Amino acid sequence: MRLSRYFLPVLKETPADAQIASHRYMLRAGMIRQQAAGIYSWLPLGFKVLKRIEQIVHEEQQRAGHIPMLMPTIQPADLWRESGRYDAYGPEMLRIRDRHDRDMLFGPTNEEMITDIFRAHVASYKSLPLTLYHIQWKFRDEIRPRFGVMRGREFYMKDGYNFDLTKEDALHAYNRHMVSYLRTYERMGLTAIPMRADSGPIGGDDTHEFLVLAPTGESDVFYDAGVTELKLGDREIDYDDRAQVKGVCDEFTSLYARTDETHDEALYGEVPEDRRRHGKGIEVGQIFYFGTKYSEPMGANVQGPDGAKVPVHMGSHGIGVSRLVGAIIEASHDDNGIIWPEGVTPFHVGIVNMRVGDEACDATSTALYGTLKTLGLDPLLDDTDERAGAKFATMDLIGLPWRITVGPRGLKNGVVELTSRRTGESEELSPEAAVQKLAALYEGHL
Ligand code: ATP
Ligand code: MG
């Protein structure tokens, strides 16, 4: 993209009502615009990051064998009356009446709807196991929407639902979700720690939340410092191999890590004192096993191997896709702006043409831009006639991990400058070498 043709409405002033870095930088970098409390438009730059995150979520869900689909945002109230949650959900549910006086609602989650789909189409255990998911806008009329997209009222969420014949099968689905989530967050450059949590209004026995440690998080967390060292890395996972998948879950959940809801002082006291940590975390996902809580009242039964009809065992598993945009910024920024991890950056590299109108600068910038695109990279070329200082400030603010600076002085020696946003370190390279280095850096991220 050429910046002169893009829509990047950056703000010079720091918005007064934004209390945390991610909210401030998302507004200043022209990523979002608030339309009402907790409701945002995603401007082009923010939209790009949202889509990159969504894409990673899709890839990792499908790698784990889960099937994408799409359910509507508006749901009939009757489904929720069947499960008993229409009254239980309370004022967080946005209730709507249509012109025929039918009660509708803007979905805060989809357990009822997916159970309805399942019972309409699946009758035999032979169709199991089955895990369906979608990525769709949700609405929860939060009492205190704040921190920008971190606690919105309208937000984008991946929610997946497993259907299994037995509890044992459903727990394998739970474990599959845990491992696929670990990989998802790692690809986004995040450390998200699975912590034993409380099941709340969704109900159930087994549940973990995934938390990104950050001082601005809203959850109180207690953990063994050892959990922050664990990495999945690029090890091969066979999602059908129950023992392997469970082994990974055991590895990531055996050290103490809990939110305040399930915190246990006695168990925490067994952690060696120098490894005990108490801090704040941002919840970026949660997995649940809840058995037959919905299948029983809603009649989602299958015929088992012995011919008898039994309610299916279910779980639901969510990732806060739009919240992740904020969480990543909370985990990765400095005083000058955002620092995107390579996996989610809106553009892979910014090219700053220091002297637009200079023949050599224009030619080299354009050539770099073209070559990077041919290699499948997504560059942002600053071809505007702003002064250099302002161009650098914008690049730092929007946080692209790499910048190539093309200036007349360097070009006399046949070099451009490649700068890392994270370390601030620069090196002079021929344009060809800069391209090669970027291609290598992004291998595995394209
Ligand atoms: P919280 O405790 O933060 O209110 P929750 O536990 O109610 O969240 P879940 O039902 O577990 O949320 O939803 C799955 C994921 O959706 C959460 O882990 C979180 O990342 C995201 N999420 C939930 N509520 C919001 C919101 N109001 N704005 C943005 N993301 C949200
Ligand atoms: Mg939750």
Side-chain angles (χ1 to χ4, degrees), residues 140 142 149-152 155 157 283-286 318 320 323:
R140 295 182 189 172
E142 300 272 356
V149 300
M150 299 267 265
R151 183 165 299 283
F155 62 97
M157 177 173 138
E283 182 193 328
V284 293
Q286 184 161 15
R323 178 179 287 180

Side-chain angles (χ1 to χ4, degrees), residues 38 89 92 108-109 111 138-142 145-146 148-159 185 198-199 201-202 207-210 218-219 261 282-288 317-324:
Y89 215 92
E92 272 200 7
T109 177
E111 281 81 6
K138 305 290 187 291
F139 196 94
R140 295 182 189 172
D141 206 349
E142 300 272 356
R146 57 184 184 152
V149 300
M150 299 267 265
R151 183 165 299 283
R153 292 197 295 167
E154 189 184 51
F155 62 97
Y156 205 39
M157 177 173 138
K158 170 262 166 184
D159 42 323
Y185 300 125
D198 188 52
S199 57
I202 294 195
T207 177
H208 282 85
E209 290 178 352
F210 291 78
E218 292 188 278
S219 308
E261 291 160 345
I282 303 166
E283 182 193 328
V284 293
Q286 184 161 15
I287 54 177
F288 290 96
H317 315 280
I319 293 181
V321 175
S322 52
R323 178 179 287 180
L324 271 165

Side-chain angles (χ1 to χ4, degrees), residues 101-126:
D101 265 349
R102 276 184 291 246
D103 290 326
M104 312 291 283
L105 56 100
F106 196 122
T109 177
N110 283 60
E111 281 81 6
E112 284 77 0
M113 186 169 281
I114 197 81
T115 306
D116 175 63
I117 292 168
F118 180 88
R119 72 182 170 188
H121 298 289
V122 181
S124 161
Y125 76 96
K126 289 181 187 152

Side-chain angles (χ1 to χ4, degrees), residues 81-389:
R81 292 196 173 100
E82 282 190 57
S83 72
R85 282 209 295 181
Y86 189 62
D87 294 326
Y89 215 92
E92 272 200 7
M93 179 183 276
L94 181 64
R95 295 158 206 261
I96 304 164
R97 187 157 293 158
D98 73 10
R99 69 200 296 165
H100 304 292
D101 265 349
R102 276 184 291 246
D103 290 326
M104 312 291 283
L105 56 100
F106 196 122
T109 177
N110 283 60
E111 281 81 6
E112 284 77 0
M113 186 169 281
I114 197 81
T115 306
D116 175 63
I117 292 168
F118 180 88
R119 72 182 170 188
H121 298 289
V122 181
S124 161
Y125 76 96
K126 289 181 187 152
S127 305
L128 305 182
L130 180 65
T131 294
L132 299 167
Y133 77 92
H134 74 160
I135 302 179
Q136 176 62 292
W137 293 95
K138 305 290 187 291
F139 196 94
R140 295 182 189 172
D141 206 349
E142 300 272 356
I143 188 158
R144 234 150 71 83
R146 57 184 184 152
F147 300 157
V149 300
M150 299 267 265
R151 183 165 299 283
R153 292 197 295 167
E154 189 184 51
F155 62 97
Y156 205 39
M157 177 173 138
K158 170 262 166 184
D159 42 323
Y161 305 88
N162 68 283
F163 300 90
D164 289 278
L165 181 62
T166 64
K167 176 169 183 180
E168 194 192 11
D169 292 352
L171 289 178
H172 173 55
Y174 183 90
N175 293 342
R176 242 181 14 241
H177 279 89
M178 183 177 292
V179 176
S180 68
Y181 280 25
L182 291 170
R183 174 151 284 166
T184 300
Y185 300 125
E186 274 190 21
R187 281 187 63 187
M188 296 174 189
L190 282 177
T191 303
I193 303 164
M195 299 201 181
R196 181 159 290 285
D198 188 52
S199 57
I202 294 195
D205 311 325
D206 266 292
T207 177
H208 282 85
E209 290 178 352
F210 291 78
L211 287 116
V212 173
L213 299 173
T216 47
E218 292 188 278
S219 308
D220 267 276
V221 296
F222 299 82
Y223 58 97
D224 179 329
V227 294
T228 60
E229 309 289 312
L230 299 170
K231 285 272 172 302
L232 193 61
D234 52 10
R235 61 181 107 163
E236 276 293 318
I237 306 281
D238 173 357
Y239 281 102
D240 291 328
D241 181 341
R242 292 186 179 211
Q244 188 201 17
V245 170
K246 180 164 189 314
V248 175
C249 294
D250 290 345
E251 180 186 333
F252 278 80
T253 56
S254 54
L255 292 174
Y256 189 88
R258 294 190 178 198
T259 61
D260 57 349
E261 291 160 345
T262 56
H263 178 55
D264 180 325
E265 273 297 330
L267 279 179
Y268 184 55
E270 288 170 21
V271 177
E273 198 173 348
D274 62 325
R275 294 214 319 245
R276 276 180 229 155
R277 299 283 187 282
H278 173 203
K280 293 280 184 184
I282 303 166
E283 182 193 328
V284 293
Q286 184 161 15
I287 54 177
F288 290 96
Y289 162 73
F290 47 67
T292 59
K293 179 178 155 81
Y294 297 92
S295 54
E296 235 166 313
M298 295 186 66
N301 303 311
V302 291
Q303 194 156 41
D306 58 1
K309 284 208 160 193
V310 287
V312 285
H313 286 257
M314 293 174 58
S316 71
H317 315 280
I319 293 181
V321 175
S322 52
R323 178 179 287 180
L324 271 165
V325 182
I328 292 168
I329 299 173
E330 286 302 317
S332 184
H333 68 270
D334 64 14
D335 289 344
N336 298 323
I338 303 165
I339 307 172
W340 292 115
E342 271 83 354
V344 298
T345 183
F347 294 98
H348 295 122
V349 51
I351 306 168
V352 173
N353 182 346
M354 298 272 282
R355 193 170 297 168
V356 172
D358 175 276
E359 212 174 300
C361 286
D362 289 354
T364 305
S365 302
T366 311
L368 275 167
Y369 179 72
T371 314
L372 288 163
K373 282 183 80 133
T374 340
L375 291 172
L377 288 156
D378 190 3
L380 178 67
L381 169 59
D382 189 342
D383 56 348
T384 65
D385 44 23
E386 283 276 353
R387 43 186 192 85

